[in-house]
Amino acid sequence: LAGVNIKNYCKDGQGEFTIQYNNVTLILKITTSGFTKVNIDVEYQLGGKEVDKKRISLDLEEFTSELLYDLIEQIILEFKGECIKWY
């Protein structure tokens, strides 16, 4: 999608990525719960208002870069679908 704005922020074990296209925003937060779990929070907003939110929790033992790549790829495809749905 042309015209997509991407921002990222990382601090104290938390990473946050914001992807915005027109009025559709995806907020992706990656946090750790101690040293046992990795939480990935996915929030979709339309015009600044939350329309969908979910959490993916993974044991640290099953968390790999390949799994993270696959999850992010799936989330980006969902974002494209949300953009098409709203425009």
Side-chain angles (χ1 to χ4, degrees):
L1 296 170
V4 172
N5 186 15
I6 300 173
K7 297 178 185 176
N8 71 327
Y9 170 82
C10 296
K11 185 177 180 183
D12 298 329
Q14 175 176 327
E16 183 174 314
F17 303 87
T18 303
I19 304 171
Q20 187 169 19
Y21 177 74
N22 290 334
N23 254 357
V24 181
T25 303
L26 165 67
I27 301 170
L28 179 69
K29 294 180 184 177
I30 302 173
T31 58
T32 58
S33 172
F35 291 100
T36 60
K37 290 209 178 279
V38 174
N39 296 315
I40 302 171
D41 293 300
V42 182
E43 179 180 330
Y44 290 98
Q45 296 179 352
L46 181 61
K49 296 183 181 181
E50 181 183 312
V51 292
D52 189 25
K53 190 173 187 174
K54 65 181 172 182
R55 172 173 271 190
I56 302 165
S57 292
L58 302 167
D59 289 331
L60 203 53
E61 295 172 353
E62 64 184 341
F63 188 75
T64 64
S65 59
E66 292 85 11
L67 179 60
L68 179 61
Y69 179 84
D70 290 344
L71 285 171
I72 291 175
E73 187 173 39
Q74 178 184 353
I75 291 166
I76 289 172
L77 288 173
E78 288 175 8
F79 176 72
K80 286 180 180 180
E82 290 294 319
C83 291
I84 291 168
K85 181 169 75 175
W86 296 107
Y87 287 98

